[in-house]
Amino acid sequence: MKEALCVLCLVLLLSVIEAAVTKPNSANFIECLRHRTSQENPITDAIFTADNTTTFLSTYLSYTKNKRYSNPNYKKLLAIVTAKHVSHVQATVVCAKYNGIQLRTRSGGHDLEGLSYRSSIPFVILDMHNLRSINVDVSSKKAWVQSGATLGELYVKINEASQTLAFPAGVCPTVGAGGHISGGGYGNLMRKYGLTVDHVVDAQLVDVNGKLLNRATMGEDLFWAIRGGGGGSFGVILSWKINLVEVPKILTVFRVNKTLEQGGTDVLYKWQLVSTKFPEDLFMRAWPQVVNGTKRSERTIAVVFYAQFLGPADKLMATMSQRLPELGLRREDCHEMNWLDTTLFWADYPAGTPKSVLLDRPTNPGFFKSKSDYVKKPIPKEGLEKLWRKMLKFNNIVWMQFNPYGGVMDRIPANATAFPHRKGNMFKVQYSTVWPDANATETSLSLMKELYEVAEPYVSSNPREAFFNYRDIDIGSNPSGETNVDEAKIYGSKYFLGNLERLMEVKAKFDPENFFKNEQSIPPAPVM
């Protein structure tokens, strides 16, 4: 009888232990964090829970850039850890895994679908914004940048060290380096120098077991995967080592508008034919958007042409008059400046704005939705006109960005990094709409889908390619707590093309139990 009772007690004890391990428990998770970190680097002040609603909500909102996701699910979001030391990152990974809690990691909060800070199952957010150190070595033309640093902070730091070094990344200064670089971030140096991932030479990553790895210890397969395959499926990127690139002391920028009434459609059509064939030193974005017309209550489309040239204005003028005279570029449209000032120009700050504004981290999100496409042959004028008609049906702000390819992008193999969209593309399109309040959400999302459908005949197909850093849940997704391989292949083939299979194999090797997952993560390759 006693033996039977002992066996029964043991079974009950084991079931309690098993439940404690498998059922998410925020108290156990937080106790685990404290146990796994040292007094030299205490974690207590980095932990925020719903018990203190005010600080918890402000911490959540501080890096939530899309207002569509500004209400945290208090039943699902168990804690936010704003890591201040690598040990905090390691502890968060280990403790979340041990307690059966999903982990979402965010750096700058610009994840367009909020997958780095929301989930429908119990989860914690590992917020990297405190891990933002940047070290620039001018002699080797390299820098280490932590994931929580913003692009603006990186640009200022580079400029303080050198007037002729730069990094080919994006034009939005508040984007976090962690996600931007890992997804294959691009900017106005793309045609000359390629993408962020083309200049990564080392990285620090915390793996599923809480180990801190670098390129040598993670191996070339994992190092390949995190350069364009996103870091979130494989671990937590702590920092990147990047090669910096040379830029002249004087660059030239311009911004010229052409409305439909001024022949904007014709100029844009010609832009398609020449923008990928410009000299590599010239990057010229076309940005169609809805604007007010000359008559009251009338609306039209203005195509805004933004350009950056690695050289003086006179040389740029000569190129434009030869290649795209239809734009009617004038010398007074051109502005010569240093590289850091061009980052202010692209971020739409007025001339004379102090560079310190690039260090700001504003917390004023709006409601928005973005989608993406790749275009491999010119969109005919009648196709552009169909797009204009659909854009004019929006009641709120809407635009399309055409970002030209060509140059070095044609010469980097599709499998050199996990980012696959290289040769054969004329330009990448980003569709975006912004609206003022939640009441307009349903209509705005519906119109965006309609605009995307209008574009379908004119963009890539089989698959219809998409840019991973412009997250779009519409192209395929899994539930928060599952990763169905067949479903993952739908969105994965659009983001990663022929590189998906290798990414799945790397995932199976380094995270076989699929701990690091979200609605659009890479699944482990099935065991055959």
Side-chain angles (χ1 to χ4, degrees):
M1 184 70 178
K2 286 182 179 180
E3 288 180 0
L5 283 172
C6 286
V7 170
L8 180 60
C9 289
L10 181 60
V11 170
L12 289 171
L13 178 62
L14 288 172
S15 66
V16 169
I17 293 172
E18 183 180 3
V21 171
T22 58
K23 185 180 179 181
N25 185 305
S26 57
N28 289 350
F29 169 73
I30 290 166
E31 183 58 36
C32 176
L33 290 178
R34 292 181 175 134
H35 175 71
R36 295 192 68 91
T37 49
S38 66
Q39 293 182 347
E40 290 77 26
N41 296 292
I43 198 172
T44 303
D45 292 342
I47 304 170
F48 297 86
T49 65
D51 299 338
N52 190 330
T53 308
T54 304
T55 55
F56 184 72
L57 182 60
S58 62
T59 302
Y60 176 83
L61 289 177
S62 60
Y63 290 90
T64 301
K65 301 297 183 184
N66 195 339
K67 215 168 184 176
R68 288 166 59 200
Y69 313 118
S70 60
N71 293 315
N73 186 330
Y74 288 99
K75 292 182 179 179
K76 303 299 182 183
L77 179 53
L78 305 180
I80 303 170
V81 181
T82 58
K84 298 178 180 179
H85 188 265
V86 61
S87 62
H88 299 174
V89 176
Q90 293 171 298
T92 304
V93 170
V94 170
C95 294
K97 182 184 176 187
Y98 179 78
N99 284 283
I101 299 172
Q102 191 167 88
L103 180 67
R104 297 291 170 103
T105 305
R106 72 177 178 184
S107 51
H110 279 263
D111 185 342
L112 299 183
E113 296 284 13
L115 303 189
S116 58
Y117 51 85
R118 66 186 182 98
S119 178
S120 62
I121 65 172
F123 75 111
V124 296
I125 295 172
L126 174 57
D127 194 308
M128 302 291 283
H129 78 264
N130 286 321
L131 296 171
R132 60 212 286 185
S133 72
I134 301 166
N135 294 298
V136 177
D137 182 358
V138 174
S139 61
S140 65
K141 299 180 185 177
K142 290 179 171 57
W144 273 103
V145 52
Q146 286 192 311
S147 283
T150 65
L151 297 186
E153 290 167 347
L154 175 60
Y155 295 161
V156 169
K157 202 77 170 180
I158 293 170
N159 181 256
E160 287 174 349
S162 168
Q163 299 296 302
T164 57
L165 290 177
F167 185 62
V171 301
C172 181
T174 58
V175 169
H180 180 72
I181 294 175
S182 67
Y186 77 99
N188 48 36
L189 293 174
M190 176 173 72
R191 301 187 66 252
K192 177 74 172 181
Y193 288 115
L195 311 173
T196 54
V197 291
D198 300 323
H199 299 274
V200 172
V201 293
D202 204 345
Q204 289 186 313
L205 173 142
V206 174
D207 74 0
V208 69
N209 298 311
K211 292 182 179 178
L212 180 62
L213 307 176
N214 60 17
R215 180 174 183 172
T217 52
M218 75 175 74
E220 289 303 301
D221 281 345
L222 183 53
F223 184 64
W224 173 87
I226 60 175
R227 289 177 295 149
S233 292
F234 303 98
V236 178
I237 305 291
L238 187 70
S239 60
W240 299 102
K241 188 178 185 180
I242 54 177
N243 275 331
L244 305 179
V245 300
E246 292 277 358
V247 291
K249 289 185 177 180
I250 296 296
L251 292 77
T252 305
V253 295
F254 70 74
R255 177 170 52 229
V256 174
N257 292 16
K258 287 289 183 183
T259 64
L260 299 190
E261 294 73 20
Q262 295 168 332
T265 302
D266 292 338
V267 180
L268 181 59
Y269 182 78
K270 177 68 179 294
W271 172 92
Q272 293 183 97
L273 306 180
V274 299
S275 59
T276 61
K277 298 178 176 64
F278 281 145
E280 294 176 5
D281 289 337
L282 176 57
F283 177 92
M284 185 176 172
R285 167 183 286 174
W287 194 350
Q289 51 197 267
V290 175
V291 298
N292 291 327
T294 53
K295 298 178 182 177
R296 191 171 182 176
S297 76
E298 183 183 68
R299 300 161 82 229
T300 186
I301 303 292
V303 184
V304 185
F305 294 92
Y306 273 80
Q308 176 166 300
F309 178 65
L310 297 170
D314 291 345
K315 193 171 180 182
L316 172 59
M317 285 293 299
T319 297
M320 293 302 298
S321 62
Q322 180 185 6
R323 305 288 186 93
L324 190 57
E326 295 84 352
L327 184 63
L329 183 68
R330 302 167 302 170
R331 177 61 181 81
E332 53 264 37
D333 297 322
C334 300
H335 307 282
E336 295 182 337
M337 58 186 70
N338 64 34
W339 171 70
L340 190 69
D341 285 341
T342 69
T343 68
L344 292 165
F345 171 86
W346 282 88
D348 279 334
Y349 289 110
T353 302
K355 68 180 182 182
S356 59
V357 73
L358 294 170
L359 305 177
D360 291 348
R361 294 185 172 219
T363 56
N364 54 341
F367 294 88
F368 63 86
K369 170 68 180 180
S370 291
K371 302 176 79 67
S372 64
D373 263 320
Y374 285 87
V375 178
K376 299 178 185 296
K377 57 185 180 181
I379 301 174
K381 290 179 185 178
E382 57 267 30
L384 294 173
E385 288 162 355
K386 288 179 183 178
L387 292 167
W388 307 156
R389 287 194 289 273
K390 181 58 66 176
M391 288 174 70
L392 288 167
K393 291 187 176 181
F394 283 71
N395 293 319
N396 38 274
I397 298 169
V398 60
W399 70 79
M400 299 170 64
Q401 276 186 3
F402 293 7
N403 293 285
Y405 259 56
V408 73
M409 292 297 286
D410 284 345
R411 302 195 295 274
I412 300 174
N415 61 358
T417 67
F419 180 91
H421 311 281
R422 305 283 189 172
K423 188 176 181 180
N425 291 298
M426 293 181 64
F427 53 93
K428 169 165 47 192
V429 181
Q430 180 188 18
Y431 313 83
S432 289
T433 184
V434 181
W435 57 96
D437 58 68
N439 293 330
T441 296
E442 188 175 337
T443 301
S444 299
L445 294 179
S446 178
L447 282 168
M448 182 58 88
K449 285 186 178 180
E450 291 176 21
L451 179 62
Y452 190 68
E453 288 171 5
V454 171
E456 185 172 10
Y458 313 111
V459 300
S460 64
S461 59
N462 298 316
R464 185 173 182 178
E465 300 176 27
F467 178 38
F468 181 69
N469 270 0
Y470 291 159
R471 287 276 204 187
D472 181 7
I473 212 76
D474 302 338
I475 69 169
S477 68
N478 276 298
S480 295
E482 304 171 24
T483 308
N484 178 282
V485 173
D486 289 336
E487 184 65 27
K489 285 181 177 178
I490 294 173
Y491 59 78
S493 65
K494 298 170 185 177
Y495 285 140
F496 306 115
L497 306 182
N499 290 337
L500 178 62
E501 185 176 342
R502 183 178 173 186
L503 284 166
M504 290 170 60
E505 290 170 356
V506 175
K507 173 75 169 178
K509 181 178 178 182
F510 290 94
D511 183 19
E513 295 176 6
N514 199 22
F515 170 69
F516 292 110
K517 61 176 172 287
N518 59 48
E519 288 78 355
Q520 288 191 334
S521 58
I522 295 164
V527 178
M528 302 303 290

